[in-house]
Amino acid sequence: MALIEIENKDQFSELTSASNKLIALYFHTPWASPCIQMNKVISTLADSAQYSNVSFLSINADNFPEISDLFDITAVPYFVIIKDGTILKELTGADPKEFINAIDQFNGQSLDQSSTNQLASSATVESTSTSVEETPEQLNARLQKLTTAAPIMLFMKGTPSAPQCGFSRQMVAILREHQVRFGFFDILKDDSVRQGLKTYSDWPTFPQLYIGGVFQGGLDIIKENLSEDDLFFEHALEESNSSK
């Protein structure tokens, strides 16, 4: 069964109301680079005969905020596996093997290891391609592109669903508490970005938060800003949009 792109809310309601059917929801946005990496993986899974009994639905989180809000989507890519109206599992991040294993857990079938590796490798082509030597100018241009990849971008250790440090975990919790939709980048997977951002932002630690491409600070500064203004995120976005 091919990947189905959701075009309206009625279509979504009809497809997700199917009984005794495993359904995988894939929330994405065009601006999030991890989503670009996952598109091919999801399409390949949907086209696989071994997963013909699974419905794969693709939802642009920006185009359908009312659907995203049903699942409290604040970061993409985001996956929800449901059956008979019950949420079985939720995943965040561009880890193909984790998603495939989650599907297998509830589907009762699995791809062989070579197929799984092939799918997983398709999602990491982009990130590995950046391992070549970059000039400072090229790195700076890439950092500028990354920091503006989403209106609010979080550079963290790990992913929102699996933070790799306590500070990153706290920052994700704050963003979710304030229902902020954000993009993210796992700096542990790209040392050039990890080291380059320290100079780019003139800030030595992570996580780092950017709004409209402008560095806002680390965890302590964000906490301080929120203590002074509970609508800090909304006001920062408004300021960013007005300056464009």
Side-chain angles (χ1 to χ4, degrees):
M1 182 180 293
L3 179 66
I4 301 173
E5 187 70 37
I6 294 300
E7 298 178 353
N8 56 67
K9 191 173 181 179
D10 289 340
Q11 178 197 24
F12 175 81
S13 299
E14 179 182 353
L15 292 174
T16 53
S17 63
S19 59
N20 199 32
K21 182 82 172 179
L22 192 66
I23 303 170
L25 309 179
Y26 168 46
F27 290 89
H28 62 90
T29 63
W31 45 257
S33 57
C35 294
I36 297 172
Q37 297 172 11
M38 286 300 296
N39 288 341
K40 184 177 180 180
V41 174
I42 300 300
S43 295
T44 304
L45 276 176
D47 291 337
S48 171
Q50 291 175 275
Y51 292 111
S52 60
N53 59 331
V54 180
S55 292
F56 293 86
L57 309 183
S58 176
I59 305 109
N60 185 318
D62 285 344
N63 289 348
F64 299 101
E66 68 278 15
I67 297 177
S68 301
D69 290 344
L70 291 174
F71 300 93
D72 294 327
I73 307 299
T74 56
V76 290
Y78 197 92
F79 306 94
V80 183
I81 301 173
I82 63 175
K83 188 174 184 179
D84 295 328
T86 301
I87 296 176
L88 304 177
K89 196 175 187 70
E90 297 179 80
L91 299 165
T92 306
D95 187 334
K97 289 185 179 180
E98 183 181 16
F99 177 65
I100 293 169
N101 290 335
I103 293 291
D104 292 343
Q105 178 184 351
F106 301 104
N107 188 44
Q109 297 181 8
S110 64
L111 293 175
D112 57 62
Q113 191 60 46
S114 62
S115 297
T116 300
N117 290 338
Q118 185 177 2
L119 281 170
S121 65
S122 69
T124 57
V125 169
E126 181 178 317
S127 61
T128 55
S129 67
T130 61
S131 62
V132 296
E133 189 70 25
E134 289 178 294
T135 66
E137 292 76 16
Q138 289 173 327
L139 176 58
N140 194 69
R142 186 156 70 95
L143 292 176
Q144 184 175 12
K145 184 177 180 180
L146 285 173
T147 56
T148 56
I152 297 181
M153 276 293 295
L154 175 63
F155 292 83
M156 61 179 294
K157 295 181 179 180
T159 67
S161 61
Q164 297 299 306
C165 78
F167 299 119
S168 292
R169 183 177 294 106
Q170 289 184 58
M171 184 73 89
V172 168
I174 288 172
L175 291 167
R176 286 179 169 167
E177 178 186 350
H178 287 79
Q179 299 182 327
V180 174
R181 186 167 295 160
F182 62 97
F184 72 94
F185 188 95
D186 181 1
I187 54 98
L188 297 179
K189 292 186 176 180
D190 192 321
D191 197 56
S192 294
V193 171
R194 180 178 184 176
Q195 299 303 326
L197 272 179
K198 295 178 182 180
T199 301
Y200 187 85
S201 63
D202 195 23
W203 193 260
T205 60
F206 292 93
Q208 294 186 12
L209 190 72
Y210 290 75
I211 298 180
V214 178
F215 177 62
Q216 301 296 316
L219 179 62
D220 289 342
I221 290 181
I222 298 303
K223 284 182 175 179
E224 181 179 341
N225 288 338
L226 285 169
S227 69
E228 298 173 353
D229 178 10
D230 192 54
L231 297 178
F232 163 71
F233 294 116
E234 291 90 336
H235 292 157
L237 274 175
E238 289 173 1
E239 183 179 345
S240 170
N241 292 333
S242 65
S243 64
K244 292 180 179 178

